[in-house]
Amino acid sequence: MKRILLLTLLFFLPLGWTLCWGQGDFATKKVFDGKVLDRGSVVETMIAGKQLAAYHLSSFHSLKYAVGNEEAKTVESLVLADAAHASEKETVFVDGQLTYAVLAYLEDSPFNEYICYQSDGTTATLVYMAGKATLDDLKSIFATKE
């Protein structure tokens, strides 16, 4: 019985992690993995499951942090690297700085993936979302601040 339970966990744990955290080839994955920003200065939110059903999402992971340092500039460059591979994208620059980005990765899979970025000059928010939500759904949730 213990073997069956162990085998079940070993099979479903990676599968669940993959569904909840797709981000395999994204440059910004480094940020979400804690390799770019100091975790002590980041507000992190992770949500998965029923709480997101109203938004047609299956996972949501956000990081909010202060801008103006080298790490924040690195995040901006990683977002722009991901933008180069997006199926659809919308970016806004103010005085040469990225202030808003919605990047859509629409594949032939059961869910879409999105990376959103927003900065007001003092703080920035980086979000990874996955689910059946459309780009228009997300634009209304993650509205541009101009």
Side-chain angles (χ1 to χ4, degrees):
M1 182 65 174
K2 288 181 182 179
R3 283 187 187 169
I4 293 172
L5 180 62
L6 182 61
L7 287 173
T8 303
L9 284 174
L10 288 175
F11 176 74
F12 285 109
L13 189 60
L15 180 63
W17 180 253
T18 302
L19 290 174
C20 187
W21 185 253
Q23 285 200 344
D25 297 330
F26 295 128
T28 51
K29 185 175 186 311
K30 294 177 193 175
V31 183
F32 289 102
D33 286 345
K35 297 177 182 175
V36 176
L37 298 170
D38 174 25
R39 284 291 188 186
S41 62
V42 173
V43 176
E44 183 173 23
T45 304
M46 293 178 73
I47 306 170
K50 294 179 185 178
Q51 295 172 325
L52 297 171
Y55 304 105
H56 307 289
L57 293 171
S58 56
S59 66
F60 175 93
H61 188 177
S62 74
L63 303 172
K64 186 172 183 176
Y65 56 92
V67 298
N69 56 32
E70 287 303 312
E71 291 85 10
K73 291 178 185 174
T74 300
V75 173
E76 183 179 325
S77 68
L78 293 171
V79 170
L80 292 173
D82 283 340
H85 304 290
S87 303
E88 294 182 38
K89 65 184 169 190
E90 181 179 339
T91 55
V92 176
F93 291 85
V94 174
D95 297 327
Q97 296 293 112
L98 180 66
T99 59
Y100 174 83
V102 174
L103 312 176
Y105 302 88
L106 311 170
E107 301 294 328
D108 294 331
S109 67
F111 63 92
N112 299 319
E113 294 179 287
Y114 300 94
I115 294 174
C116 301
Y117 172 86
Q118 192 162 338
S119 175
D120 64 6
T122 58
T123 60
T125 304
L126 179 66
V127 179
Y128 167 81
M129 294 175 276
K132 294 182 180 181
T134 66
L135 190 54
D136 288 335
D137 293 337
L138 294 181
K139 283 182 182 180
S140 66
I141 295 168
F142 203 76
T144 306
K145 291 182 183 176
E146 294 191 52

